[in-house]
């Protein structure tokens, strides 16, 4: 069982930053020469691909939620802020918290 859903955009950005760190660590150790500006295009292109991957996954998962009739996370806030008390505020401490406001 997964503890959380896989997020490829964060995985790609993490790999890009680890790669930049390994490159500059090798440079600092004297193993190879890396130009000082090498991290700028590496991180920029890596973050671009991470954003594309994240946006793609977001669109695919959003389409699946809509196809299965599930509500998104914004619609599932437990009624806090609406003030109506009709969306899960049962008065037993598990609702949106409107009963504690007074």
């Amino acid at each position: 069982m997964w503890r959380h859903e896989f997020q490829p955009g964060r995985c790609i950005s993490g790999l890009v930053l680890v790669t930049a760190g390994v490159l500059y660590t090798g440079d600092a150790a004297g193993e190879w020469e890396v130009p000082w500006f090498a991290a700028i295009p590496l991180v920029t292109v890596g973050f671009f691909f991470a954003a594309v991957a994240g946006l793609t996954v977001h669109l695919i998962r959003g389409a699946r939620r809509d196809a299965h009739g599930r509500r998104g996370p914004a619609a599932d806030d437990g009624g806090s802020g609406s003030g109506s008390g009709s969306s899960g505020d049962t008065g037993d401490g598990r609702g949106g918290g409107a009963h504690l406001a007074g």
Side-chain angles (χ1 to χ4, degrees):
M1 180 95 198
W2 294 100
R3 291 184 184 213
H4 57 83
E5 61 188 6
F6 179 65
Q7 297 178 346
R10 289 186 178 185
C11 182
I12 292 171
S13 62
L15 289 174
V16 165
L17 292 176
V18 166
T19 301
V22 167
L23 285 174
Y24 282 109
T25 301
D27 185 33
E31 297 295 321
W32 56 75
E33 282 291 318
V34 179
W36 65 268
F37 57 86
I40 296 170
L42 175 70
V43 171
T44 303
V45 171
F47 281 176
F48 172 76
F49 284 125
V52 169
L55 182 62
T56 303
V57 168
H58 177 74
L59 292 174
I60 290 171
R61 288 182 181 160
R64 284 186 186 167
R65 283 189 193 110
D66 291 343
H68 289 102
R70 293 187 209 142
R71 296 182 307 190
D76 196 22
D77 63 352
S80 62
S82 65
S84 67
S86 63
S87 59
D89 191 10
T90 59
D92 60 356
R94 293 183 292 158
H99 64 282
L100 300 174

